[in-house]
Amino acid sequence: MLRVAESANDALNVAGSLCGVPFVGVAAVVVDRIVKTCREVKVHKQRTTQISLKCVQILSTLNDQAQTLEGSDLQQLLDQLMPTLEKILKRAEKWSNYNAVVTFLKNGDIKEGLDRSDAELDTAMQLFHSFSAAISLHSAQRIIADTMRSNTAELRDLLHQVLSRRSETEQIIELQSAGQHVAEQFMAAGQEVDLNTINANNVELPRTTSPVPDIQDSQRYLEYQRGLIHLHRETGIPPTIKVLNGEVTRTGDLAVAGGTYSDIWTGRWLGEEKVVLGFCRRIWADQTCQSQVALKALRNIRASDPRARRRFENEINMWANLKNDHILPFYGIVTDLGQHIHIVSPWQENGNVLEYVKMHPDADRLPLIRGSAEGLAYLHSCKIIHGNSERLRCVIDGEARICDFGMSKIIEEVTEESASATLTAGGSARWMAPELIEGKSPSMEADTYSYAMAILELLTGKRPFADCKSTAAVIRHIVVLKQIPQRPETLTGTWLSDELWNLMCSCWAKEFTSRPSMAQVTDRLKAIECRK
């Protein structure tokens, strides 16, 4: 019996030595091609080597059987074996032709193909009863477990190659532009690589709450960062994995703005992109846990509270699926920047709508008003209540984008304190529907009411009920006297047409069931815009 092959080189030698043997030679030619082709597959190296060795084991066994079997019996055995070897060769040839990008995308398919090949070879081995005792399936399974662990490093190397080479990332961008959503897969894989545990020698280090000092200088780390940022900028996709711990840094020690629920900082995602970091004053991060970004920090709710964590997990999944030109993209959350949970979104250089029109007094208000309406209508179509329409102000390139949606419900559920109490205490009564002030939960109809108040503020540059100096006076006008704002005379004929004013008044209807839906508001605004 021929020596059992122990390496890819041994396998080639064994297969080559049998190519001229009668009957066995046909199988030997195919096995020789399998061994050579498996060498060219870019991932699962040990697993493909294992497949090669199994093929050679079968070939060696076939050669041994050729010494004792009649020609017809040997041919019958060969007829059963050859389809299996040919299927394996066809798969290996397909995999070996994949470039780095396609190999990464097809990694799961390759693994499934190897599993099928392994099972088919085990079945083929059972054909040789006289040799079955010499073939240890248990040993083969142990090898599989070892090779699965080694493949993680191979995939990491392949990902590094794709993200660090411009030609490879350009292929991803082309596929994404053609409608194949592959960029998200690479973004997720790049984020899954523990950037805080990669150094120049690719050594695993224990994860800590702070980056290892020398890792920031690692060329490999920087190449991962640059590759992900390039992918983000060229395709427009946000981070795929929404927990951004270790990826975001905060800029400065002072908040740049604040709202009813949150304080806002600027920061950097992957060291480059500017983002907004906001934390809710009532939500706290568990201490154990570079585009510029915005960081919104939510106040007074501890992330160590299981209810807060579960609620945020649900919201993350929902927010991540929102895609609309008038909704501010959601990048994710951060829990490793102090006591609070931070919500991360892209930084908007133009600020909010009120700031934008102050800087651009001649800007057409109607597209901003209609854009906000479209964003709110989209949220409602997704069964999402904004709950704090005072904050319908974000803009980008002159287009209004809705932000800060859904927070009122989270605050209400986690703190067991009504949204109306939180909003009123935060000074938002001027924008609130009367039923919300009276203690009812946020609703789509209340959003419509508050939206019209936001329009009024945009048009006048003043808060609703500007003559009322105190929250108590505002509540008296809305709830007791059941009043709506008076029409500002100075705006007649400028931005505030009769048609727009009538639409706003319908949004302020005392009976919430009489208010138009935001889809209806959007349609009417489009008609007003066309007739302007």
Side-chain angles (χ1 to χ4, degrees):
M1 176 182 171
L2 291 173
R3 180 175 61 87
V4 176
E6 296 177 352
S7 69
N9 288 331
D10 287 343
L12 274 177
N13 293 333
V14 172
S17 68
L18 296 176
C19 286
V21 178
F23 291 104
V24 180
V26 178
V29 170
V30 176
V31 171
D32 182 71
R33 290 174 60 192
I34 289 173
V35 174
K36 291 177 180 177
T37 306
C38 282
R39 282 179 153 184
E40 302 301 319
V41 180
K42 297 177 179 64
V43 290
H44 300 284
K45 291 289 189 181
Q46 291 188 21
R47 190 76 186 279
T48 53
T49 299
Q50 176 199 352
I51 294 295
S52 299
L53 297 180
K54 273 195 173 184
C55 290
V56 172
Q57 281 182 323
I58 289 177
L59 183 63
S60 179
T61 306
L62 180 65
N63 183 61
D64 290 341
Q65 297 289 346
Q67 311 301 320
T68 58
L69 294 177
E70 297 291 335
S72 58
D73 293 333
L74 187 59
Q75 184 64 57
Q76 183 179 359
L77 190 59
L78 191 62
D79 288 343
Q80 296 181 62
L81 175 63
M82 285 303 295
T84 296
L85 296 177
E86 288 169 351
K87 280 193 294 185
I88 292 171
L89 174 61
K90 185 177 180 180
R91 291 177 192 137
E93 287 177 336
K94 179 173 67 174
W95 302 333
S96 68
N97 288 324
Y98 289 160
N99 63 20
V101 172
V102 177
T103 298
F104 191 91
L105 293 172
K106 296 287 187 180
N107 176 61
D109 293 340
I110 294 172
K111 181 182 180 302
E112 290 178 5
L114 288 168
D115 290 341
R116 287 196 299 272
S117 299
D118 216 17
E120 290 163 357
L121 289 173
D122 286 343
T123 300
M125 285 180 177
Q126 294 172 10
L127 296 172
F128 305 101
H129 297 292
S130 62
F131 196 68
S132 59
I135 300 174
S136 174
L137 295 180
H138 176 75
S139 175
Q141 291 169 352
R142 186 179 67 252
I143 294 173
I144 290 174
D146 293 339
T147 55
M148 287 177 66
R149 286 190 292 271
S150 72
N151 188 55
T152 301
E154 293 174 3
L155 281 176
R156 180 178 292 171
D157 290 339
L158 188 64
L159 178 64
H160 176 255
Q161 174 185 327
V162 170
L163 291 178
S164 61
R165 294 182 184 175
R166 188 57 59 96
S167 61
E168 306 281 10
T169 54
E170 290 301 326
Q171 183 181 358
I172 299 171
I173 294 165
E174 289 176 8
L175 292 171
Q176 188 80 5
S177 299
Q180 300 183 42
H181 297 288
V182 298
E184 291 85 352
Q185 297 179 47
F186 283 95
M187 178 66 73
Q191 290 182 270
E192 283 176 348
V193 173
D194 192 351
L195 298 181
N196 286 337
T197 62
I198 298 174
N199 61 17
N201 297 317
N202 196 26
V203 175
E204 296 289 338
L205 299 172
R207 175 136 191 175
T208 65
T209 55
S210 300
V212 179
D214 63 342
I215 290 175
Q216 297 294 338
D217 297 326
S218 165
Q219 184 63 31
R220 191 179 182 89
Y221 176 85
L222 294 175
E223 287 171 350
Y224 268 112
Q225 283 188 322
R226 290 168 184 158
L228 290 177
I229 285 292
H230 177 64
L231 198 61
H232 162 70
R233 288 175 175 166
E234 293 297 322
T235 63
I237 62 167
T240 304
I241 297 175
K242 297 303 182 182
V243 179
L244 304 178
N245 291 353
E247 298 180 28
V248 176
T249 56
R250 194 165 70 187
T251 305
D253 296 324
L254 298 177
V256 297
T260 302
Y261 300 118
S262 62
D263 293 317
I264 299 172
W265 278 264
T266 60
R268 297 275 173 184
W269 175 49
L270 295 180
E272 292 192 31
E273 183 176 341
K274 188 176 182 180
V275 293
V276 177
L277 290 169
F279 73 71
C280 177
R281 300 182 187 94
R282 310 192 63 180
I283 300 183
W284 301 74
D286 188 348
Q287 295 284 8
T288 64
C289 288
Q290 274 199 358
S291 275
Q292 187 161 346
V293 291
L295 294 173
K296 295 185 181 70
L298 307 173
R299 306 181 188 112
N300 294 348
I301 299 179
R302 294 184 177 275
S304 53
D305 182 345
R307 291 179 303 167
R309 284 185 173 276
R310 286 194 299 269
R311 192 65 176 87
F312 259 95
E313 287 172 2
N314 293 336
E315 293 301 316
I316 286 172
N317 293 332
M318 177 185 67
W319 292 338
N321 291 324
L322 297 177
K323 291 179 175 60
N324 185 273
D325 289 341
H326 299 287
I327 298 295
L328 188 67
F330 168 68
Y331 278 14
I333 65 169
V334 176
T335 64
D336 61 353
L337 291 178
Q339 294 180 318
H340 300 91
I341 290 177
H342 292 72
I343 298 174
V344 186
S345 56
W347 177 259
Q348 305 300 300
E349 291 293 343
N350 287 322
N352 64 48
V353 170
L354 299 181
E355 294 167 342
Y356 179 77
V357 297
K358 285 181 181 178
M359 292 186 293
H360 304 86
D362 296 329
D364 191 344
R365 270 59 165 178
L366 283 178
L368 301 177
I369 291 170
R370 187 252 312 144
S372 294
E374 287 189 26
L376 193 52
Y378 172 75
L379 288 179
H380 287 181
S381 73
C382 298
K383 310 301 181 186
I384 298 172
I385 296 168
H386 189 287
N388 183 19
S389 293
E390 173 198 357
R391 301 300 302 170
L392 296 172
R393 298 178 184 172
C394 258
V395 300
I396 181 170
D397 297 329
E399 286 283 353
R401 290 194 175 193
I402 302 293
C403 63
D404 287 354
F405 46 83
M407 292 311 306
S408 60
K409 282 287 188 182
I410 295 179
I411 302 297
E412 191 172 62
E413 292 180 19
V414 175
T415 65
E416 299 181 354
E417 183 175 327
S418 72
S420 62
T422 304
L423 289 166
T424 303
S428 298
R430 297 172 188 274
W431 295 267
M432 291 168 61
E435 69 272 14
L436 199 56
I437 294 175
E438 291 174 336
K440 291 188 177 179
S441 291
S443 66
M444 294 182 185
E445 294 80 8
D447 276 353
T448 300
Y449 180 102
S450 299
Y451 167 77
M453 289 296 181
I455 292 178
L456 181 64
E457 184 178 17
L458 173 62
L459 293 173
T460 64
K462 298 178 180 179
R463 299 180 302 170
F465 301 103
D467 293 337
C468 297
K469 304 303 180 184
S470 67
T471 298
V474 172
I475 292 175
R476 180 173 181 273
H477 273 75
I478 296 174
V479 176
V480 179
L481 302 179
K482 305 185 185 307
Q483 293 180 346
I484 63 173
Q486 294 182 348
R487 180 171 180 170
E489 297 179 1
T490 56
L491 291 177
T492 302
T494 307
W495 305 109
L496 187 57
S497 65
D498 292 342
E499 194 173 5
L500 180 56
W501 178 254
N502 291 335
L503 174 59
M504 293 164 65
C505 289
S506 69
C507 294
W508 293 325
K510 177 181 178 296
E511 294 297 329
F512 68 89
T513 55
S514 300
R515 298 169 196 157
S517 68
M518 285 309 303
Q520 293 171 324
V521 170
T522 299
D523 289 341
R524 289 175 64 177
L525 286 171
K526 288 179 179 177
I528 293 171
E529 199 172 1
C530 288
R531 287 192 287 271
K532 189 185 68 163

